[in-house]
């Protein structure tokens, strides 16, 4: 009897498990990725069904079930530590081509060698059970690592699920997590603006990112991954190359720069080619990895305690040079931070001439114990930013004098201050120090802020020197004749600038707030603040405590905002901006209002007259729909504006997908 019952119950128990999984995934997509793929209604219905099933089978109670916690507690503190199934070893490194030749020659004759790029990121081990990504472990100490699966799931090229029947029950794929150069540079730029410490290279940035507790921030930063090693039992293929090729067919991101080499000459040609070509890749590489292709031969060669005998890494030569530190000069930024800069005897490094390098701050200089007259090592940190890594330890080189950091601002003579707990010295003369004045104006007009075309660094400098531009409000008093009278500026470019100034009056409030240049209020933070305080008047009266309630706003940022509005000079400038017509009010953020568009995938294409694309996106989401980027057979309809792209139009016609005009769409929502 009992058996019979459990057989009847079985499908329902399976359904319960499947629902837990599905809802957990949806929670993740909703709360973490901000990209739900299920309507709220469907989610709620499934949640009810799961609750009913859990009530029916109390023996299956699980505190981790989605019924037992709210979705927002994802991204929790700390990571689960998991023992690796196979230890995560490293590779023997070699730095000369001779060593590589030697290694190849010692292999049994006729052995095929797979050459791959050595990606410079962090290693990751992905576990797939029944085709589902169940763990993503960092190397840790090689024996056990941190499970950073929530962060790994933000990488679009890593599949969460492999929908195939021809895959083994369990397999593991190892690879490298990387932050592409472009993302790395953007991140550092943003950090510079927000006065946060910069990452020295993409590897540090990737590592910092992977250990973040907030997967939303991880997603925003845009990690990528390349996979290069498959492990497990009963895996297909007799060679390493075949396995990677199989992994590629299963949907994994495998580099195309993999080559089977038959002899040492082919290996050398590969190394020579990639030594220069790698500079064009979107991600950082620091060498080449050579692996014996045949898996049976790999097994025969086996492992030492730390590294496989069947593989070796060739590291590209470190690009560094010794040169003379001629002088240390000091740069004052828009927020008054004084940055020391090394002026070097020009030296050739990775194809460019380096003659200046940042020395960051006083502590950095002291830690390297350098001063003018020393011979110093210059490296290209992350191959892009030159950095000083040390000095030549030699008795012959005598430092000329003791280093001391200036006490007054090199630009305006004000006494410098160093805030406790900060590494930087600052010039406090905000309103009277030329680089701070010009820097604030440059920031205000920059693309992501007010986007005033034509008002570049040089023009700002010219107008500043002519006494026409002393603060951001002066911009709106500029006259055509003032600008056109400047050297190198004709009437046409002057008119362009004026048009840009006029257009900036339409820039939305969130970007205006960013443009004001309040210390540490970057683009993203400004957006979050503007969402909560949709007028400047409301923001002006907010207390530090209230501001801290906003996501991403800590006590320091809150203090900076309060201090900004307590400064009468800023209030005067704001009043003039208001008079000029700058937007100090935003639209109230639409709360979800209905599920009229629940379950629909909607593409927005073209330009619109009644609302912006972002506003339409917000509307779609507010009504339970999903805004997707490309047209497919799953697209429900296209919200089509003027000048819709011809490709999208054709695809829509081919698939028989309806186009809705702005008016039709608004009619549909009843607004
Ligand atoms: S194979 C058992 N292939 O380099 C050997 N490693 O110092 C498994 N790496 O820990 C590694 N690119 O993080 C392999 N194409 C590649 C690689 C690669 C980068 C990293 C990896 C490893 C380290 C070795």
């Amino acid at each position: 009897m009992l058996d019979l019952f459990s057989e009847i119950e079985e499908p329902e128990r399976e359904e319960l498990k499947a629902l837990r999984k599905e809802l957990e995934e949806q929670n993740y997509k909703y709360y973490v990725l901000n990209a739900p793929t299920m309507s709220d209604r469907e989610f709620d219905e499934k949640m009810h069904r799961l609750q009913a099933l859990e009530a029916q089978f109390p023996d299956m109670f699980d505190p981790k079930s989605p019924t037992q916690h709210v979705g927002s507690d994802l991204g929790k503190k700390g990571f689960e530590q998991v023992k690796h199934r196979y230890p995560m070893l490293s590779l023997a490194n070699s730095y000369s081509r001779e060593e590589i030749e030697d290694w190849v020659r010692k292999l049994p004759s006729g052995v095929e060698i797979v050459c791959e790029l050595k990606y410079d990121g962090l290693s990751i081990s992905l576990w797939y059970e029944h085709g589902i990504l169940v763990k993503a472990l960092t190397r840790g100490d090689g024996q056990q690592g941190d499970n950073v699966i929530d962060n790994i799931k933000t990488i679009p090229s890593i599949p969460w699920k492999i929908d195939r029947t021809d895959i083994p029950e369990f397999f593991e794929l190892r690879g490298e997590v990387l932050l592409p150069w472009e993302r790395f540079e953007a991140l550092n730029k943003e950090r510079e603006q927000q006065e946060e410490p910069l990452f020295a290279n993409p590897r540090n940035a990737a590592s910092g990112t992977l250990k973040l507790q907030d997967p939303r921030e991880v997603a925003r930063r845009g990690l990528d991954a390349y996979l290069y090693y498959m492990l497990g039992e009963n895996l297909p293929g007799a060679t390493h190359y075949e396995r990677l090729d199989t992994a590629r067919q299963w949907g994994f991101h495998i580099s195309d720069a993999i080559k089977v080499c038959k002899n040492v000459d082919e290996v050398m040609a590969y190394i020579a080619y990639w030594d220069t070509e790698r500079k064009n890749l979107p991600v950082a590489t620091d060498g080449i990895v050579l692996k014996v292709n045949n898996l049976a031969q790999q097994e025969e060669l086996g492992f030492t305690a730390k590294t496989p005998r069947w593989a070796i890494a060739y590291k590209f030569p470190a690009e560094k040079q010794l040169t003379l530190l001629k002088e240390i000069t000091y740069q004052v930024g828009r927020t008054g931070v004084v940055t020391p800069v090394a002026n070097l005897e020009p030296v050739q490094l990775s194809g460019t001439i380096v003659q200046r390098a940042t020395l960051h701050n006083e502590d950095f200089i002291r830690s390297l114990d350098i001063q003018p007259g020393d011979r110093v090592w210059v490296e290209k940190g992350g191959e892009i930013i030159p950095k000083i890594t040390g000095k030549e330890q030699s008795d012959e080189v005598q430092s000329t004098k003791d280093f001391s950091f200036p006490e007054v601002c090199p630009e305006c003579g004000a006494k410098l201050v160093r805030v406790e707990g900060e590494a930087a010295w600052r010039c406090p003369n905000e309103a009277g120090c030329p680089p701070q004045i010009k820097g604030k104006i440059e920031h205000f007009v920059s693309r992501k802020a007010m986007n005033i075309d034509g008002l570049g660094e040089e023009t700002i400098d010219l107008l500043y020197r002519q006494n026409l531009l002393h603060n951001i409000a002066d911009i709106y008093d500029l006259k055509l004749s003032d600008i056109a009278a400047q050297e190198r500026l004709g009437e046409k470019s002057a008119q362009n600038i004026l048009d840009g100034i006029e257009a900036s009056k339409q820039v939305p409030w969130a970007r205006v707030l960013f443009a004001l240049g309040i210390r540490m209020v970057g683009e993203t933070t400004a957006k979050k603040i503007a969402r909560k305080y949709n007028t400047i008047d409301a923001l002006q009266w907010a207390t530090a405590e209230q501001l801290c309630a906003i996501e991403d706003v800590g006590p320091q940022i809150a203090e900076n905002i309060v201090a900004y509005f307590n400064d009468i000079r800023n209030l005067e400038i704001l009043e003039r901006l208001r008079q000029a017509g700058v937007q100090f009010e935003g639209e109230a953020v639409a709360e979800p209002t209905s599920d009229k568009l629940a379950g629909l995938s909607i593409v927005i294409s073209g330009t619109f007259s009644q609302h912006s694309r972002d506003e339409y996106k917000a509307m779609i989401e507010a009504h339970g729909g999903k805004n997707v980027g490309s047209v497919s057979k799953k697209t429900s309809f296209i919200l089509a504006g003027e000048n819709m792209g011809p490709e999208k139009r054709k695809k829509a016609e081919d698939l028989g997908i309806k186009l809705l005009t702005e008016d039709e769409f608004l009619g549909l929502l009843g607004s």
Side-chain angles (χ1 to χ4, degrees):
M1 278 297 274
L2 215 61
D3 272 343
L4 184 61
F5 270 129
S6 56
E7 252 181 62
I8 293 168
E9 283 173 10
E10 210 46 50
E12 289 185 322
R13 286 177 183 268
E14 285 307 313
E15 185 191 351
L16 182 153
K17 285 192 232 161
L19 276 171
R20 277 182 182 165
K21 220 169 151 351
E22 194 179 4
L23 292 175
E24 207 59 84
E25 277 186 8
Q26 277 305 319
N27 264 337
Y28 187 82
K29 287 181 177 166
Y30 186 92
Y31 288 106
V32 179
L33 300 185
N34 285 326
T37 54
M38 192 186 272
S39 71
D40 289 359
R41 184 189 288 174
E42 197 182 344
F43 182 90
D44 290 341
E45 281 169 0
K46 292 198 172 183
M47 186 63 93
H48 281 137
R49 172 74 183 142
L50 177 59
Q51 278 161 345
L53 287 169
E54 284 183 349
Q56 192 181 339
F57 304 110
D59 62 317
M60 288 190 73
F61 173 77
D62 183 349
K64 293 203 294 286
S65 165
T67 57
Q68 303 302 310
H69 67 81
V70 286
S72 56
D73 76 357
L74 282 162
K76 52 207 168 284
K77 282 236 174 310
F79 297 105
E80 176 199 17
Q81 298 238 311
V82 180
K83 191 171 176 315
H84 291 298
R85 289 199 185 213
Y86 310 92
M88 275 183 99
L89 301 176
S90 63
L91 293 169
N93 282 328
S94 72
Y95 292 89
S96 74
R97 297 186 188 199
E98 290 73 39
E99 279 178 79
I100 292 292
E101 277 180 359
D102 242 27
W103 183 80
V104 175
R105 294 221 164 91
K106 280 187 190 145
L107 294 172
S109 66
V111 165
E112 282 183 347
I113 294 156
V114 178
C115 287
E116 296 170 15
L117 289 169
K118 185 169 187 312
Y119 292 100
D120 193 13
L122 279 98
S123 34
I124 193 78
S125 157
L126 308 175
W127 291 14
Y128 285 84
E129 271 171 23
H130 303 284
I132 290 168
L133 176 64
V134 290
K135 296 223 184 301
L137 308 181
T138 61
R139 179 214 287 269
D141 60 3
Q143 299 301 322
Q144 59 174 21
D146 280 335
N147 184 12
V148 289
I149 186 165
D150 291 339
N151 289 344
I152 285 297
K153 279 182 163 180
T154 68
I155 302 178
S157 64
I158 294 184
W160 297 16
K161 194 171 170 207
I162 315 291
D163 252 333
R164 298 176 70 107
T165 47
D166 59 347
I167 50 169
E169 203 174 298
F170 174 86
F171 65 90
E172 185 174 333
L173 263 173
R174 290 190 182 170
E176 205 80 351
V177 174
L178 302 140
L179 193 67
W181 285 116
E182 219 180 285
R183 297 296 195 135
F184 163 69
E185 279 151 34
L187 178 63
N188 261 355
K189 209 170 193 178
E190 200 180 291
R191 290 173 77 86
E192 198 174 355
Q193 275 171 1
Q194 302 193 9
E195 301 189 352
E196 289 169 24
L198 302 190
F199 286 117
N201 53 46
R203 183 163 46 80
N204 289 1
S207 150
T209 303
L210 206 54
K211 290 293 174 83
L212 287 175
Q213 298 293 342
D214 180 4
R216 271 164 293 212
E217 174 60 15
V218 180
R220 198 182 66 81
R221 291 193 185 174
L223 292 170
D224 199 356
Y226 283 91
L227 302 161
Y228 47 64
Y229 187 26
M230 200 200 286
L231 294 117
E233 315 269 303
N234 308 319
L235 298 179
T239 65
H240 172 67
Y241 188 86
E242 279 173 280
R243 280 207 183 153
L244 290 189
D245 201 41
T246 308
R248 189 184 281 119
Q249 285 164 31
W250 291 350
F252 289 98
H253 195 196
I254 310 287
S255 166
D256 289 327
I258 300 181
K259 188 171 189 294
V260 181
C261 294
K262 300 238 185 291
N263 54 50
V264 89
D265 292 341
E266 284 182 23
V267 172
M268 289 301 146
Y270 183 92
I271 291 178
Y273 177 79
W274 283 107
D275 199 355
T276 50
E277 200 50 39
R278 73 195 181 100
K279 292 177 183 135
N280 301 321
L281 294 173
V283 293
T285 54
D286 61 346
I288 301 289
V289 182
L290 281 68
K291 299 175 184 169
V292 166
N293 193 19
N294 187 293
L295 297 170
Q297 285 172 337
Q298 276 191 9
E299 206 168 324
E300 253 170 59
L301 286 160
F303 293 84
T304 71
K306 273 162 58 182
T307 59
R309 287 199 192 86
W310 47 262
I312 191 167
Y314 165 74
K315 296 269 257 202
F316 294 122
E319 313 231 29
K320 65 179 195 174
Q321 292 283 349
L322 207 53
T323 190
L324 177 72
L325 172 58
K326 292 197 299 192
E327 191 192 1
I328 299 177
T329 51
Y330 297 86
Q331 244 175 19
V332 185
R334 87 173 150 90
T335 57
V337 171
V338 180
T339 308
V341 179
N343 291 252
L344 306 162
E345 188 71 45
V347 66
Q348 181 92 22
L349 205 60
S350 326
T352 55
I353 292 167
V354 177
Q355 45 194 340
R356 282 158 68 80
T358 178
L359 290 170
H360 306 289
N361 52 49
E362 181 179 4
D363 297 348
F364 183 79
I365 299 176
R366 296 207 182 280
S367 71
L368 293 179
D369 187 25
I370 52 170
Q371 46 202 314
D374 282 346
R375 288 181 68 75
V376 294
W377 283 108
V378 197
E379 271 182 37
K380 279 252 182 132
E383 314 255 352
I384 290 216
I385 312 161
K387 63 176 182 188
I388 310 246
T389 53
K391 69 172 178 183
E392 191 185 40
Q393 298 293 350
S394 149
D395 294 342
E396 286 157 43
V397 182
Q398 283 299 320
S399 298
T400 46
K401 52 184 186 293
D402 276 348
F403 163 75
S404 65
F405 205 87
E407 287 174 10
V408 296
C409 174
E411 296 281 346
C412 72
K415 194 162 171 19
L416 299 182
V417 291
R418 186 170 171 173
V419 179
E420 221 187 289
E422 277 187 21
W425 283 94
R426 276 177 201 277
C427 166
N429 183 16
E430 255 187 80
C433 180
Q436 293 193 60
I437 296 171
K438 288 187 278 183
K440 282 193 177 67
I441 299 172
E442 282 162 21
H443 170 74
F444 185 81
V445 303
S446 63
R447 203 174 43 82
K448 288 186 169 174
M450 303 304 275
N451 191 23
I452 302 178
D453 236 5
L455 254 192
E457 213 177 305
E458 257 180 64
T459 315
I460 290 172
D461 186 50
L462 278 175
L463 296 168
Y464 169 78
R465 283 193 278 126
Q466 300 282 317
N467 255 336
L468 291 165
L469 206 50
H470 259 98
N471 59 50
I472 53 176
D474 291 343
I475 295 174
Y476 295 88
D477 290 341
L478 287 173
K479 298 191 182 54
L480 188 75
S481 54
D482 294 337
I483 310 175
Q486 303 303 319
E487 238 177 275
R488 290 190 298 262
L489 280 175
E491 195 144 314
K492 192 158 171 249
S493 24
Q495 188 56 52
N496 262 347
I497 294 176
L498 282 190
D499 291 346
I501 294 172
E502 197 50 39
S504 76
K505 295 176 187 170
Q506 302 309 319
V507 165
W509 156 229
R511 267 171 56 196
V512 173
L513 177 58
F514 167 61
L516 295 179
I518 302 174
R519 205 178 285 169
M520 293 168 78
V521 177
E523 206 188 345
T524 323
T525 314
K527 265 190 209 154
K528 290 184 179 160
I529 297 171
R531 201 174 299 160
K532 180 80 191 288
Y533 293 93
N534 67 343
T535 70
I536 196 163
D537 298 325
L539 179 61
Q540 182 177 342
W541 299 111
T543 62
E545 205 181 11
Q546 288 166 333
L547 291 166
C548 279
I550 303 172
E551 193 189 357
D552 281 4
V553 177
Q556 191 60 56
I557 302 184
E559 280 305 327
N560 292 345
I561 297 170
V562 171
Y564 180 88
F565 287 108
N566 275 340
D567 189 330
I568 181 90
R569 287 167 304 190
N570 292 332
L571 299 183
E572 278 166 16
I573 289 173
L574 292 177
E575 188 47 38
R576 285 175 60 203
L577 293 175
R578 188 198 298 271
Q579 296 293 336
V582 168
Q583 299 288 323
F584 281 156
E585 269 184 36
E587 293 207 2
V589 184
E591 292 297 331
T593 47
S594 80
D595 52 13
K596 278 184 187 158
L597 306 176
L600 303 184
S601 291
I602 301 159
V603 171
I604 305 177
S605 183
T607 52
F608 301 92
S609 55
Q610 304 191 42
H611 293 275
S612 70
R613 285 174 79 100
D614 281 348
E615 283 164 2
Y616 278 124
K617 180 168 189 269
M619 275 185 225
I620 291 173
E621 282 162 7
H623 291 277
K626 201 174 126 198
N627 172 221
V628 293
S630 55
V631 181
S632 73
K633 57 178 189 299
K634 288 194 197 140
T635 306
S636 316
F637 65 81
I638 298 174
L639 170 54
E642 293 290 314
N643 306 320
M644 179 179 163
E647 261 176 51
K648 273 206 178 110
R649 188 176 286 276
K650 164 126 196 1
K651 198 154 182 202
E653 271 169 23
D654 291 349
L655 296 169
I657 290 163
K658 240 177 134 173
L659 306 187
L660 258 65
T661 64
E662 236 178 325
D663 286 337
E664 284 169 330
F665 177 75
L666 293 170
L668 183 74
L669 296 184
S671 52

